[in-house]
Amino acid sequence: MKLEIGNFNVKDVVFGNKTSFKDGILTINKDEAIRFIKKDEHITAVDLEIAKPGDNTKIVPIKEAAEPRIRPDGRSTFPGVTGEVEMAGSGRVHALKGCSVLGVGMHYGSFGDGLVDMSKEGAKYTLFSELINICIVADTDEEEERFEQQKRNTAIRIATHKFAEYLGNTVKEMEPEEIETYELAPIVKRKEDLNKLPSVVLVMQPQSQMEIMGYNARVYGWDMNKYIPTFMHPNEILDGSNISGSFMPSSSKWSTYDLQNFPTIRELYKEHGKSINFLGVIMSNLNVSLEQKKRSSIFVAQMAKSLGADGAIVTEEGYGNPDADYILCLRALEDVGVKTVGISNEATGRDGASQPLVSLDEKADALVSTGNVSQLIELPPADKVIGDLKALSRDGLSGGWSYDENLGPSVREDGSVIMENNAMFCGDRIAGWSIKTMKEF
């Protein structure tokens, strides 16, 4: 399969008379865009805001992010979500780089929502402070979940995907500034010199623990709670086959933007033919019961062994209960002779002294940490808030609180914030973006 991603570098985003892209400037007709978003009858109120790197702006509660893209051949950008189910991973897709569409709650937040600070201290914690963010700030008629801590946020999340495709239309007929090409030969038909290199597979564990449908990550529109580990071509993931779910503390998430640009996949491609033979992706899941967890680890290990993998990278979306799936998978791979490295964040408590993962095993001896979800972060007041800052302390966002006997409220009267890293939107960059380093004391 051969995938071409045609890139258009966005230097600025502005509101104007016509939605278009020219000379690096993405212009959006705000009224027309809002009418497009409100075609979904579940969106009851919506506004559009633009946040740029360096702005003294906080954005919260953020529910989803996607990169604006379009397929020149007319196929949907997110098959099974914004259009018909069709195979992703081949052909041409056009991408607006340097910007994202963020789905933001106008009033109500939930457990899995997060915050982005576009400047100062907070900017270093999340990739999205480096992007120009086009924010859909919306309210919905999803009354049954309005005051629930866990929300599907379906209307806002799907609006994010549809609007990303809407903006992608601005470059549908244009010639890209650069083209990235991703191609792998069939595994059994690779050249001898490639087969002599160590063979590596990437194992991905998206969030799929909610047994009630609608909260989990999706693959080709299919809820991944009803899924078993499957071999996928890495191009499929880069090309919109998977979208993010709503369930998981925010710093531990893979947004859809992360999946579209998954840096661990990109790094494996860079090394393919040089230091490794990149076999592809085993798309696994995260489960509820121990039996389900063991079953998935067996599937993963068998596939990796049958594919001829010498090594594997395993990365999980989340922490806590998912750690059991993560460690079982690492052990199962090691048991069949596949040398394995894990990538995850950890939950070592505010003092950094707690056990980092819920489950551990002596065979999980090569682990990469992307940060501590419980790390306390203090942020100064912002000149502007997009969304509702009070949601951080009011609505059960993981990492925020209404009152703590030692720390007081998460959102202070002057607009400054104290929170756990848990609430930083995709803050631990588990997809592979992380710039954090380890220090020994």
Side-chain angles (χ1 to χ4, degrees):
M1 293 175 72
K2 179 179 178 180
L3 173 67
E4 293 182 335
I5 302 178
N7 294 329
F8 298 80
N9 295 307
V10 177
K11 300 173 185 175
D12 200 5
V13 179
V14 298
F15 292 122
N17 293 327
K18 182 180 179 181
T19 299
S20 60
F21 180 80
K22 184 177 181 181
D23 298 329
I25 310 299
L26 176 62
T27 302
I28 302 171
N29 182 310
K30 187 173 182 179
D31 291 338
E32 289 180 0
I34 287 173
R35 284 197 294 273
F36 172 81
I37 295 166
K38 290 193 75 173
K39 285 181 180 179
D40 184 340
E41 61 184 12
H42 296 292
I43 302 284
T44 57
V46 64
D47 194 9
L48 285 179
E49 302 246 26
I50 299 169
K52 302 177 183 179
D55 289 352
N56 189 16
T57 298
K58 288 183 175 62
I59 313 167
V60 65
I62 304 171
K63 303 170 185 299
E64 171 64 303
E67 183 172 74
R69 292 187 178 185
I70 196 67
R71 291 180 174 281
D73 64 8
R75 289 180 293 158
S76 61
T77 306
F78 302 102
V81 178
T82 59
E84 295 295 321
V85 177
E86 297 179 84
M87 184 182 293
S90 62
R92 172 79 68 87
V93 62
H94 287 177
L96 289 163
K97 309 301 290 189
C99 67
S100 80
V101 175
L102 295 184
V104 184
M106 185 174 284
H107 299 297
Y108 300 100
S110 64
F111 178 77
D113 295 350
L115 177 148
V116 165
D117 198 337
M118 297 299 294
S119 69
K120 300 180 182 177
E121 170 69 12
K124 70 183 183 183
Y125 288 100
T126 172
L127 169 76
F128 291 91
S129 66
E130 303 169 22
L131 302 175
I132 302 171
N133 296 302
I134 305 144
C135 303
I136 299 173
V137 188
D139 203 1
T140 76
D141 67 357
E142 294 160 314
E143 299 287 347
E144 73 284 354
E145 62 181 41
R146 177 155 289 179
F147 298 110
E148 296 293 327
Q149 187 182 32
Q150 283 288 358
K151 297 179 176 66
R152 296 180 182 88
N153 295 308
T154 303
I156 295 176
R157 287 170 51 233
I158 300 303
T160 304
H161 308 134
K162 289 182 176 179
F163 192 57
E165 191 173 66
Y166 175 91
L167 294 177
N169 270 300
T170 59
V171 294
K172 184 175 183 179
E173 306 297 335
M174 297 175 67
E175 190 60 31
E177 298 166 37
E178 59 181 0
I179 296 175
E180 300 174 25
T181 302
Y182 297 93
E183 186 173 14
L184 292 176
I187 291 171
V188 297
K189 295 184 179 180
R190 295 185 181 176
K191 296 179 180 178
E192 184 178 352
D193 58 344
L194 189 56
N195 286 326
K196 288 179 179 179
L197 294 171
S199 296
V200 177
V201 68
L202 174 63
V203 180
M204 295 173 62
Q205 296 178 313
Q207 187 51 239
S208 52
Q209 290 182 288
M210 292 293 279
E211 293 181 318
I212 300 173
M213 298 296 95
Y215 294 94
N216 300 300
R218 301 188 203 177
V219 55
Y220 288 103
W222 183 257
D223 191 299
M224 292 191 71
N225 184 264
K226 305 299 182 186
Y227 180 88
I228 58 173
T230 302
F231 182 71
M232 293 185 70
H233 197 291
N235 290 4
E236 294 177 272
I237 292 94
L238 296 178
D239 194 27
S241 64
N242 291 53
I243 66 165
S244 175
S246 68
F247 172 67
M248 186 37 59
S250 193
S251 73
S252 304
K253 272 190 174 183
W254 295 332
S255 69
T256 296
Y257 182 98
D258 290 302
L259 293 163
Q260 291 172 290
N261 294 280
F262 212 77
T264 304
I265 290 177
R266 289 171 177 261
E267 287 298 316
L268 288 166
Y269 255 117
K270 285 180 184 177
E271 291 302 313
H272 180 64
K274 298 176 183 177
S275 63
I276 63 166
N277 176 12
F278 180 27
L279 299 176
V281 174
I282 298 174
M283 186 63 65
S284 189
N285 54 348
L286 295 168
N287 301 282
V288 179
S289 73
L290 183 59
E291 180 183 344
Q292 292 169 338
K293 296 173 188 293
K294 288 180 176 178
R295 186 181 297 116
S296 285
S297 72
I298 291 168
F299 276 126
V300 169
Q302 177 276 124
M303 268 187 276
K305 189 68 174 177
S306 297
L307 289 166
D310 300 304
I313 298 172
V314 179
T315 182
E316 66 166 333
E317 183 188 11
Y319 68 93
N321 188 298
D323 292 344
D325 302 75
Y326 176 60
I327 295 298
L328 277 169
C329 191
L330 286 162
R331 181 185 176 95
L333 287 161
E334 291 281 350
D335 283 344
V336 296
V338 179
K339 295 180 180 180
T340 306
V341 173
I343 305 174
S344 72
N345 57 7
E346 51 189 302
T348 57
R350 292 178 183 177
D351 61 358
S354 298
Q355 179 172 306
L357 300 171
V358 167
S359 176
L360 291 168
D361 190 283
E362 62 183 9
K363 292 191 176 181
D365 58 0
L367 301 177
V368 177
S369 170
T370 62
N372 175 19
V373 301
S374 304
Q375 177 187 353
L376 284 174
I377 298 171
E378 292 199 55
L379 305 172
D383 295 334
K384 180 178 180 179
V385 173
I386 295 175
D388 185 358
L389 186 60
K390 292 180 180 178
L392 177 65
S393 58
R394 184 192 64 219
D395 296 337
L397 275 67
S398 184
W401 55 85
S402 58
Y403 186 77
D404 180 278
E405 61 181 11
N406 296 315
L407 301 172
S410 195
V411 179
R412 299 166 176 146
E413 288 187 8
D414 66 354
S416 64
V417 165
I418 183 167
M419 66 183 212
E420 289 186 349
N421 178 48
N422 259 317
M424 193 64 69
F425 185 67
C426 299
D428 287 333
R429 309 189 189 192
I430 302 171
W433 307 101
S434 185
I435 58 172
K436 295 177 182 176
T437 57
M438 301 292 289
K439 291 185 179 179
E440 185 173 345
F441 293 93

mmCIF file of all heavy atoms in Angstrom, residues 223-238:
data_model
loop_
_atom_site.group_PDB
_atom_site.id
_atom_site.type_symbol
_atom_site.label_atom_id
_atom_site.label_comp_id
_atom_site.label_asym_id
_atom_site.label_seq_id
_atom_site.Cartn_x
_atom_site.Cartn_y
_atom_site.Cartn_z
ATOM 1 N N ASP A 223 -17.000 0.583 17.150
ATOM 2 C CA ASP A 223 -16.636 0.759 18.547
ATOM 3 C C ASP A 223 -15.659 -0.335 18.966
ATOM 4 O O ASP A 223 -15.950 -1.523 18.850
ATOM 5 C CB ASP A 223 -17.890 0.716 19.423
ATOM 6 C CG ASP A 223 -17.631 1.152 20.846
ATOM 7 O OD1 ASP A 223 -16.822 0.495 21.530
ATOM 8 O OD2 ASP A 223 -18.253 2.132 21.300
ATOM 9 N N MET A 224 -14.495 0.061 19.491
ATOM 10 C CA MET A 224 -13.435 -0.902 19.733
ATOM 11 C C MET A 224 -13.620 -1.749 20.986
ATOM 12 O O MET A 224 -12.807 -2.641 21.252
ATOM 13 C CB MET A 224 -12.076 -0.207 19.743
ATOM 14 C CG MET A 224 -11.698 0.315 18.358
ATOM 15 S SD MET A 224 -9.987 0.872 18.228
ATOM 16 C CE MET A 224 -9.101 -0.689 18.289
ATOM 17 N N ASN A 225 -14.709 -1.538 21.722
ATOM 18 C CA ASN A 225 -15.028 -2.481 22.785
ATOM 19 C C ASN A 225 -15.454 -3.824 22.183
ATOM 20 O O ASN A 225 -15.309 -4.865 22.828
ATOM 21 C CB ASN A 225 -16.128 -1.931 23.690
ATOM 22 C CG ASN A 225 -16.427 -2.839 24.860
ATOM 23 O OD1 ASN A 225 -17.360 -3.647 24.812
ATOM 24 N ND2 ASN A 225 -15.622 -2.735 25.907
ATOM 25 N N LYS A 226 -15.961 -3.792 20.971
ATOM 26 C CA LYS A 226 -16.386 -5.008 20.269
ATOM 27 C C LYS A 226 -15.335 -5.406 19.235
ATOM 28 O O LYS A 226 -15.618 -5.644 18.064
ATOM 29 C CB LYS A 226 -17.744 -4.776 19.585
ATOM 30 C CG LYS A 226 -18.835 -4.290 20.523
ATOM 31 C CD LYS A 226 -19.128 -5.274 21.635
ATOM 32 C CE LYS A 226 -20.261 -4.806 22.531
ATOM 33 N NZ LYS A 226 -20.452 -5.698 23.696
ATOM 34 N N TYR A 227 -14.120 -5.507 19.669
ATOM 35 C CA TYR A 227 -12.987 -5.650 18.758
ATOM 36 C C TYR A 227 -11.989 -6.624 19.355
ATOM 37 O O TYR A 227 -11.866 -6.729 20.585
ATOM 38 C CB TYR A 227 -12.342 -4.259 18.596
ATOM 39 C CG TYR A 227 -11.143 -4.167 17.687
ATOM 40 C CD1 TYR A 227 -11.290 -3.946 16.327
ATOM 41 C CD2 TYR A 227 -9.858 -4.254 18.201
ATOM 42 C CE1 TYR A 227 -10.182 -3.827 15.488
ATOM 43 C CE2 TYR A 227 -8.736 -4.140 17.374
ATOM 44 C CZ TYR A 227 -8.912 -3.925 16.027
ATOM 45 O OH TYR A 227 -7.826 -3.806 15.196
ATOM 46 N N ILE A 228 -11.301 -7.358 18.511
ATOM 47 C CA ILE A 228 -10.188 -8.192 18.969
ATOM 48 C C ILE A 228 -8.934 -7.758 18.211
ATOM 49 O O ILE A 228 -9.027 -7.171 17.130
ATOM 50 C CB ILE A 228 -10.451 -9.696 18.746
ATOM 51 C CG1 ILE A 228 -10.722 -9.998 17.271
ATOM 52 C CG2 ILE A 228 -11.617 -10.165 19.609
ATOM 53 C CD1 ILE A 228 -10.816 -11.483 16.967
ATOM 54 N N PRO A 229 -7.748 -8.002 18.751
ATOM 55 C CA PRO A 229 -6.519 -7.557 18.095
ATOM 56 C C PRO A 229 -6.438 -8.003 16.637
ATOM 57 O O PRO A 229 -6.744 -9.140 16.300
ATOM 58 C CB PRO A 229 -5.429 -8.207 18.953
ATOM 59 C CG PRO A 229 -6.034 -8.293 20.312
ATOM 60 C CD PRO A 229 -7.487 -8.634 20.061
ATOM 61 N N THR A 230 -6.011 -7.074 15.800
ATOM 62 C CA THR A 230 -5.999 -7.269 14.352
ATOM 63 C C THR A 230 -4.743 -6.638 13.764
ATOM 64 O O THR A 230 -4.305 -5.582 14.225
ATOM 65 C CB THR A 230 -7.242 -6.608 13.714
ATOM 66 O OG1 THR A 230 -8.424 -7.166 14.298
ATOM 67 C CG2 THR A 230 -7.286 -6.824 12.218
ATOM 68 N N PHE A 231 -4.191 -7.273 12.761
ATOM 69 C CA PHE A 231 -3.043 -6.696 12.056
ATOM 70 C C PHE A 231 -3.539 -5.617 11.103
ATOM 71 O O PHE A 231 -4.466 -5.837 10.326
ATOM 72 C CB PHE A 231 -2.282 -7.772 11.288
ATOM 73 C CG PHE A 231 -1.057 -7.257 10.589
ATOM 74 C CD1 PHE A 231 0.060 -6.887 11.313
ATOM 75 C CD2 PHE A 231 -1.028 -7.137 9.208
ATOM 76 C CE1 PHE A 231 1.199 -6.408 10.673
ATOM 77 C CE2 PHE A 231 0.095 -6.664 8.556
ATOM 78 C CZ PHE A 231 1.222 -6.290 9.288
ATOM 79 N N MET A 232 -2.917 -4.432 11.181
ATOM 80 C CA MET A 232 -3.287 -3.326 10.306
ATOM 81 C C MET A 232 -2.044 -2.769 9.618
ATOM 82 O O MET A 232 -0.938 -2.829 10.168
ATOM 83 C CB MET A 232 -3.978 -2.204 11.095
ATOM 84 C CG MET A 232 -5.334 -2.573 11.656
ATOM 85 S SD MET A 232 -6.184 -1.162 12.452
ATOM 86 C CE MET A 232 -6.570 -0.144 11.002
ATOM 87 N N HIS A 233 -2.258 -2.214 8.455
ATOM 88 C CA HIS A 233 -1.179 -1.501 7.776
ATOM 89 C C HIS A 233 -1.029 -0.143 8.463
ATOM 90 O O HIS A 233 -2.027 0.525 8.747
ATOM 91 C CB HIS A 233 -1.519 -1.315 6.295
ATOM 92 C CG HIS A 233 -0.345 -0.963 5.446
ATOM 93 N ND1 HIS A 233 0.299 0.256 5.528
ATOM 94 C CD2 HIS A 233 0.325 -1.679 4.493
ATOM 95 C CE1 HIS A 233 1.292 0.287 4.661
ATOM 96 N NE2 HIS A 233 1.338 -0.878 4.018
ATOM 97 N N PRO A 234 0.194 0.311 8.748
ATOM 98 C CA PRO A 234 0.360 1.605 9.421
ATOM 99 C C PRO A 234 -0.246 2.768 8.651
ATOM 100 O O PRO A 234 -0.666 3.767 9.259
ATOM 101 C CB PRO A 234 1.878 1.751 9.569
ATOM 102 C CG PRO A 234 2.472 0.766 8.606
ATOM 103 C CD PRO A 234 1.496 -0.347 8.513
ATOM 104 N N ASN A 235 -0.312 2.644 7.325
ATOM 105 C CA ASN A 235 -0.908 3.713 6.526
ATOM 106 C C ASN A 235 -2.371 3.952 6.875
ATOM 107 O O ASN A 235 -2.879 5.068 6.766
ATOM 108 C CB ASN A 235 -0.804 3.392 5.036
ATOM 109 C CG ASN A 235 0.611 3.470 4.513
ATOM 110 O OD1 ASN A 235 1.551 3.690 5.276
ATOM 111 N ND2 ASN A 235 0.776 3.280 3.213
ATOM 112 N N GLU A 236 -3.070 2.896 7.276
ATOM 113 C CA GLU A 236 -4.473 3.050 7.632
ATOM 114 C C GLU A 236 -4.637 4.028 8.795
ATOM 115 O O GLU A 236 -5.527 4.877 8.787
ATOM 116 C CB GLU A 236 -5.087 1.701 7.994
ATOM 117 C CG GLU A 236 -5.180 0.709 6.844
ATOM 118 C CD GLU A 236 -5.740 -0.624 7.291
ATOM 119 O OE1 GLU A 236 -4.942 -1.487 7.723
ATOM 120 O OE2 GLU A 236 -6.974 -0.797 7.230
ATOM 121 N N ILE A 237 -3.764 3.901 9.794
ATOM 122 C CA ILE A 237 -3.868 4.767 10.967
ATOM 123 C C ILE A 237 -3.542 6.199 10.588
ATOM 124 O O ILE A 237 -4.247 7.140 10.976
ATOM 125 C CB ILE A 237 -2.945 4.264 12.103
ATOM 126 C CG1 ILE A 237 -3.444 2.921 12.649
ATOM 127 C CG2 ILE A 237 -2.896 5.259 13.254
ATOM 128 C CD1 ILE A 237 -2.823 1.720 12.043
ATOM 129 N N LEU A 238 -2.475 6.398 9.800
ATOM 130 C CA LEU A 238 -2.113 7.750 9.365
ATOM 131 C C LEU A 238 -3.175 8.358 8.464
ATOM 132 O O LEU A 238 -3.211 9.586 8.290
ATOM 133 C CB LEU A 238 -0.772 7.706 8.617
ATOM 134 C CG LEU A 238 0.465 7.270 9.412
ATOM 135 C CD1 LEU A 238 1.685 7.251 8.498
ATOM 136 C CD2 LEU A 238 0.711 8.192 10.602
#
